[in-house]
Amino acid sequence: MSVVVDGLEGLRVPEELSARVPAEQRGPGRGRDDVRLLVSRGEAVSHHAFRELPALLRAGDVLVVNTSPTLAAAVDGRLGPEPGGEPVVVHFSTRGDDGRWAVELRSPEPSGSTRPRAGGPAGAVVRLPGGGRLALAGPLTPGSGRLWWARAYGDVPGLLRRYGRPIRYGYTERDQPLSAYQTVFARPSPDGGGSAEMPSAGRPFTAGLVAELAARGVWIAPLSLHTGVASAEAHEPPYPERFEVPAATAALVNAARATGGRVIAVGTTVVRALESAAVAGPVGAGASARAGRGWTDLVVTPARGVRVVDGLLTGLHEPEASHLLMLEAVAGRAALRSAYAAAVRDRYLWHEFGDVHLLLPEEKGHRARCGSNSG
């Protein structure tokens, strides 16, 4: 899928705008919520500290959050027969209903990160720590060799707990503990499942900020979507992922919409889950959220639009990222173009440890502010 958003084709994000370490490691006394918040209302943009989020929302609004825990999904291995073999890093992405895993094999770098490699070959065996084995079957999607189905011999959740580490890309400075990749909303899954990569829009939240939101009358509604491995280089659309929208969350979303509250998704994963479970009503009656669980292959685009989501809190995505189609579906092309120009100009930080972007519905009479409300 080609991503084309007018006005972003020539946008270049300087390398120095990559967030290389978590916010709490950038200076004494800093916390997770010490990131910047870019707010879009149509083409109007304003600049805030993330701690100002409660003041930007209204009583009756609902923040829908992803409770999927992040797995230590990267494991070292050797491809080929003993002794020796090619060193690889296995990124465990998604567990299928038949027990197989979708995995990505990458080549290790001396810095501790990885670089892409061709997938396969079919029938090859990857030797894992503790005597585990991984037999490669074939590409997850015909014509794309990045992710492969593989049969794991051994207890994968146990393997990840004992030998795994969080997936890390080259723009980060060093390895981080798994705790750095868990959000305040993360809850263990009964089957040991979780996300290969952090649902990062929820990372800046702290328990104190959640309490302040509740005190202001903002509701927090949970769901889960276990994210697979992102395509950091190829910018492919998302693969099928497992999700669950609880009945209580669907009811809260529908109640908010009926009483004038706004439904704001915390992350693109939440949009995908909510919209996958949404059901269209009679003509003129809009749509409603509903409980649902299973697999979703939904790709939200401007042509498809959104049915139950009014706003989105998300990170900053590279200009070629497929996620931008979803952002355009939520806020419109003009809003996206204006926001990303401002983010580069005002030197916001990108990626999972970076700054965040709140896309809200345009309000009549709201005017853009060019200055920054916070340092």
Side-chain angles (χ1 to χ4, degrees):
M1 179 180 294
S2 174
V3 178
V4 179
V5 178
D6 287 349
L8 293 188
E9 299 94 332
L11 182 70
R12 188 183 70 85
V13 180
E15 190 176 335
E16 64 268 20
L17 296 187
S18 293
R20 304 195 180 281
V21 296
E24 59 271 26
Q25 296 179 19
R26 294 180 202 145
R30 293 179 66 93
R32 283 185 172 223
D33 53 359
D34 280 304
V35 296
R36 299 171 70 192
L37 176 64
L38 178 68
V39 178
S40 296
R41 295 181 180 87
E43 293 185 67
V45 297
S46 56
H47 304 275
H48 304 264
F50 185 75
R51 291 192 182 103
E52 297 175 58
L53 178 65
L56 296 166
L57 302 179
R58 303 192 296 243
D61 287 345
V62 176
L63 283 176
V64 187
V65 303
N66 189 356
T67 62
S68 177
T70 307
L71 302 175
V75 178
D76 292 325
R78 289 271 178 177
L79 180 66
E82 298 184 68
E86 177 193 352
V88 294
V89 177
V90 181
H91 287 176
F92 284 85
S93 179
T94 306
R95 179 166 52 189
D97 289 335
D98 62 358
R100 294 186 303 171
W101 281 81
V103 300
E104 179 186 25
L105 301 189
R106 294 175 68 92
S107 297
E109 292 273 33
S111 64
S113 65
T114 60
R115 66 181 184 275
R117 72 178 292 281
V125 173
V126 180
R127 288 174 281 123
L128 301 171
R133 294 287 190 275
L134 196 67
L136 301 178
L140 183 66
T141 301
S144 174
R146 188 176 68 87
L147 286 175
W148 279 58
W149 282 118
R151 178 71 62 183
Y153 297 94
D155 172 23
V156 173
L159 174 82
L160 300 185
R161 286 192 298 270
R162 186 170 182 184
Y163 299 107
R165 61 185 180 276
I167 289 174
R168 173 193 162 201
Y169 294 109
Y171 51 78
T172 55
E173 186 175 290
R174 56 182 177 269
D175 284 346
Q176 298 287 342
L178 184 59
S179 59
Y181 291 86
Q182 301 293 5
T183 74
V184 71
F185 305 114
R187 294 294 179 268
S189 295
D191 64 355
S195 289
E197 297 184 8
M198 172 176 56
S200 56
R203 190 183 193 279
F205 286 86
T206 62
L209 191 78
V210 171
E212 186 177 348
L213 286 163
R216 287 177 176 264
V218 176
W219 295 91
I220 307 290
L223 58 72
S224 67
L225 183 141
H226 295 327
T227 67
V229 172
S231 56
E233 296 86 13
H235 301 297
E236 301 161 339
Y239 289 94
E241 294 168 319
R242 192 189 301 274
F243 78 99
E244 180 175 3
V245 177
T249 290
L252 192 55
V253 165
N254 291 331
R257 290 173 59 80
T259 56
R262 298 171 297 182
V263 177
I264 299 168
V266 178
T268 58
T269 61
V270 170
V271 177
R272 195 181 200 202
L274 274 180
E275 294 293 324
S276 295
V279 58
V283 175
S288 60
R290 65 178 178 181
R293 63 186 303 175
W295 291 88
T296 177
D297 59 2
L298 176 67
V299 178
V300 178
T301 66
R304 190 267 184 192
V306 290
R307 295 173 177 172
V308 297
V309 170
D310 301 306
L312 171 61
L313 180 73
T314 184
L316 291 161
H317 305 281
E318 293 180 347
E320 303 85 4
S322 60
H323 289 308
L324 291 180
L325 293 172
M326 180 186 290
L327 272 62
E328 185 180 346
V330 171
R333 181 170 295 177
L336 199 55
R337 192 167 51 223
S338 176
Y340 271 65
V344 172
R345 182 180 63 244
D346 288 276
R347 303 188 67 76
Y348 279 70
L349 295 180
W350 257 251
H351 301 303
E352 66 266 29
F353 297 137
D355 297 316
V356 283
H357 181 198
L358 176 62
L359 300 101
L360 291 174
E362 188 172 7
E363 296 181 356
K364 202 170 181 180
H366 186 91
R367 301 180 61 185
R369 285 172 281 178
C370 298
S372 175
N373 296 343
S374 60

